[in-house]
Structure formats: structure tokens, C-alpha cells
Amino acid sequence: MALISIRNLSIHYYTLSGIVHAVDNVSFDILEGEWISIVGESGSGKSTLAYSIIGLVPPPGRIVTGEILFNGRNLVKLSREEMRRIRGKDIGMVFQDPMTSLDPLRRVGDQIAEVFIEHGVLSSWKEARERARELLKKVGLPGDRASYYPHQLSGGQRQRIAIAIAMALKPKLLIADEPTTALDVIVQDTIMDLMEGFKKQGTSILFITHDLALAAEHSDRIAVMYAGKLVELGSVDQVIDNPLHPYTIALIKSVPDLWGEKKIKSIPGYLPDLRNPPRGCRFHPRCPFARDICRREEPEIIEVEKGHIASCHLLKKR
Ligand SMILES: Nc1ncnc2c1ncn2[C@@H]1O[C@H](COP(=O)(O)OP(=O)(O)O)[C@@H](O)[C@H]1O
Ligand SMILES: [Mg+2]
């Protein structure tokens, strides 16, 4: 069952130098209890998409078309206040740098406890602080860390605090935007394990990363974004073993161990300027298989095998 349905979502940034087409006509579902990862190079629109789900697309960004359906409501239409209530309670989010969401001047225990007070779950600070200490243990930190300030903790510990805050009210969805990118590999693994634990308890995870290997290791499904477009979506096996879109194939070849290739083949060229994206298929300037139609017409998303979709003109020939 779909927990969240994103339909024809387009998001623009209205900058002084032009309109950035950051997310363009993206549709997909986040299923109940699944781990879905969005992968793609930096600048492909992953964070913008994630922010839109919690109503936090930063100015000068705006959702221009589309719907985000959750519990029978279209989140795009909600007021700031209604969205605030959903954020934290039904949908939690963690960011690459936990310092952006933590208050440097307050003890972390109080910052966790505040979630219970703010959402009216508890009225007594004493109880809320107790719950905060329990939560600390749940994310693998000793209870006494409650009295620490963010700067007294390591990057990995701070990310655990951010996860504790995001998970305090047991949201149905945890959005994690590059949560381990700033951490070393060993700490990264422990954070991934922590999220796996929440998934086992039924939380859906929307994991955003530029690291395809990491996504392949942890997800049920993988969505590939390129230049604001969803270009492919399928189960991990479908996407990794039988990639359909030339961009996905190039991404896989750029990861050394995924296909057992020793040499990394980086993708030639650059992500296009999203103020003026290429006509036709946005990937055509970098695509080794591009033909005339790719320069002229935008490819539709087609379902090539059950649950495995991609948008590429070449797929029609199969
Ligand atoms: N606040 C902003 N103002 C203007 N453009 C932005 C802003 N944030 C992101 N963008 C642009 O939107 C596009 C998508 O960015 P983003 O969603 O951050 O991608 P990703 O998370 O995949 O790296 C990029 O072209 C980026 O430059
Ligand atoms: Mg990002």
C-alpha cells in the first residue's frame, strides 16, 4: 500500500538569473514499510524533492504543479501550521549536517524532550526528559548524553541525536537526506544499521544519496534522478542487475564493485544547467546512444517489466 503518492510534481526556483527547473513532473509512491532510495548526482533535484514532502522547499523555490498525497490529504495544499503538525509527528527528517537542525546552545536531551511537549504528547518536562533519555538509548547513546551540548558530541553522535528527534513520535516516514555523507565509513555503517532497525519496526524510509552502492545495500527499491527527472525506478535487483536507462548504466559503471568492474568509468560531461535544460531527453547530451528523437522529444516513462519503469526512447525497441 502506498503511504505517500507523489503525482506530477514540478518544483522551480525563481532566481534572478532565471527559473531553475529543479524537479520536473516526478511521480512515484512510497510504500508502507519500504526503504526507497533516491540516487543521482549532486544537483539532480533529490533534496528539493525531499524538502517538498515536508513543506520546506526553501525560497525562491515553489511547487508549481503536482500533488503529494498522504492519508487522503494533498500536502501541497496544507497551510504552514497544518504542515508543522505533520512534520515530526507523521514524517521525520534528518539532514546531511545535523548542526543545521540542532540548537548549539541547548542540551540535546532538552531538544529531544521538546518534541513531546511541542506536539502536545506530554505536558510535563520531567516526563519528556525521561522519554528523551530512553530515546537516547534507542539510538545507541548512553542516557547521560542528554546533558551534553551538540559541540560536545562527535558528528556520528550528533546524527544519532537528529535521528532521535526525527523518530521521537514514531513517524510513519523517515526522510534521510545524505545522512552519512559527512561521516567516516565505520560511523556511516552504524547510522545505516540504526535506520534499518526503525524500518524493521515498520517505518518507511526515504533515503537520499549520491552513493549508489550504499543504496543498493540497504533499499527495497531505488529511484534514479537525473537533472530533475525521475529516469528509472524499480527493485534493487531490477535496477542494479538489469538497468534500463543509459544514465543508470553509467552510474553503475562508475561504482567499482557493483558489477565487479575494476576500473571506474566516470560519466563524461556535466549535469545540464537546470535554468535551461536540454530539449528532448535531458540526458541526451551525455548519452552514448542518443539519436535524433532523443534531441527532439521527451521520452515517456514506461513500465518495461512489472514494477520496473524508465524513461528512454530506446526502450520502445525492445
Ligand atoms: N535555494 C535554491 N535557490 C536556487 N536554486 C537552487 C536552490 N536549491 C537548489 N537549487 C538548484 O536546484 C537544483 C536541484 O538541487 P538539489 O535539489 O539540491 O539537488 P541534489 O540534492 O540532488 O544535489 C540544482 O540546479 C540547484 O542548483
Ligand atoms: Mg542534496
Side-chain angles (χ1 to χ4, degrees), residues 43-235:
S44 52
K46 306 181 300 293
S47 294
T48 303
L49 177 63
Y51 284 123
S52 72
I53 300 174
I54 51 167
L56 289 181
V57 174
R62 215 165 60 222
I63 295 176
V64 285
T65 56
E67 299 181 324
I68 301 171
L69 302 170
F70 172 69
N71 268 346
R73 302 164 90 187
N74 179 7
L75 300 186
V76 173
K77 298 274 183 242
L78 296 190
S79 69
R80 230 174 258 257
E81 188 45 43
E82 287 171 313
M83 206 56 229
R84 211 197 317 273
R85 260 177 265 147
I86 287 180
R87 204 158 51 225
K89 183 161 176 298
D90 299 304
I91 304 173
M93 180 148 180
V94 293
F95 305 89
Q96 178 175 335
D97 177 6
M99 280 313 247
T100 54
S101 54
L102 293 176
D103 182 340
L105 300 178
R106 293 182 63 209
R107 298 178 196 277
V108 295
D110 287 356
Q111 299 189 49
I112 302 172
E114 186 172 44
V115 180
F116 297 104
I117 304 285
E118 212 178 79
H119 286 270
V121 175
L122 296 172
S123 52
S124 126
W125 270 95
K126 187 166 172 288
E127 268 179 65
R129 288 200 176 98
E130 230 151 75
R131 288 282 284 279
R133 266 189 294 277
E134 284 165 24
L135 253 168
L136 281 173
K137 283 179 209 142
K138 238 183 157 172
V139 297
L141 292 175
D144 71 350
R145 293 297 184 277
S147 61
Y148 283 45
Y149 291 92
H151 74 267
Q152 295 173 302
L153 300 167
S154 69
Q157 289 171 331
R158 284 200 286 263
Q159 198 57 289
R160 283 170 192 273
I161 301 290
I163 292 174
I165 291 171
M167 293 304 297
L169 302 180
K170 301 198 174 84
K172 296 192 180 68
L173 173 67
L174 175 66
I175 302 174
D177 186 1
E178 311 254 9
T180 64
T181 302
L183 305 173
D184 66 59
V185 179
I186 294 170
V187 179
Q188 167 173 302
D189 281 349
T190 63
I191 297 287
M192 297 302 284
D193 287 347
L194 183 59
M195 293 200 295
E196 288 276 8
F198 286 117
K199 195 212 146 189
K200 282 206 185 81
Q201 290 163 28
T203 310
S204 300
I205 312 276
L206 177 66
F207 177 63
I208 292 174
T209 182
H210 62 272
D211 186 340
L212 182 60
L214 194 61
E217 201 179 322
H218 292 277
S219 325
D220 298 309
R221 293 196 297 156
I222 292 182
V224 182
M225 279 187 79
Y226 182 78
K229 288 273 178 193
L230 178 71
V231 296
E232 180 158 358
L233 172 69
S235 70

Side-chain angles (χ1 to χ4, degrees), residues 248-256 259 261 263-266:
T248 313
I249 295 170
L251 258 191
I252 292 174
K253 286 187 174 162
S254 74
V255 182
W259 273 0
E261 295 196 21
K263 260 206 271 160
I264 301 174
K265 293 199 183 76
S266 67

